[in-house]
Amino acid sequence: MNQQLIFNHDYQFDEAAVAIRCSILQGGLRNIVYIRMPEGWTAAAWLAQVREDSFFWEDEIELALKRGELDPDGNLWLDGSV
């Protein structure tokens, strides 16, 4: 288990961002992750799909963090059409 990165599994749909939002703890700091909803999905269906595929998204989050993709506010934006 990676103790430097903790997934909070607090998935929720953020209407303003049109994305699933969740938080992670990285080295003691809390960061927000947004997973953009692809076209053709409803909010409820996208939320259910992201929850179901949570291990996939954890891997994608880890890879993006290794590539240094946090924005200046400490948020991570992922494209939901991966």
Side-chain angles (χ1 to χ4, degrees), residues 8 10 21-26 28-32 73-74:
N8 294 321
D10 55 351
R21 180 173 49 111
C22 63
S23 63
I24 58 171
L25 296 175
Q26 181 184 25
L29 299 174
R30 183 173 180 260
N31 298 104
I32 302 297
D73 295 323

Side-chain angles (χ1 to χ4, degrees), residues 3 56 63 75:
Q3 294 298 318
F56 168 81
L63 289 171
N75 300 321

Side-chain angles (χ1 to χ4, degrees), residues 30-34 65 69-77:
R30 183 173 180 260
N31 298 104
I32 302 297
V33 176
Y34 294 93
L65 291 172
E69 295 181 8
L70 289 174
D71 71 12
D73 295 323
N75 300 321
L76 178 63
W77 291 84

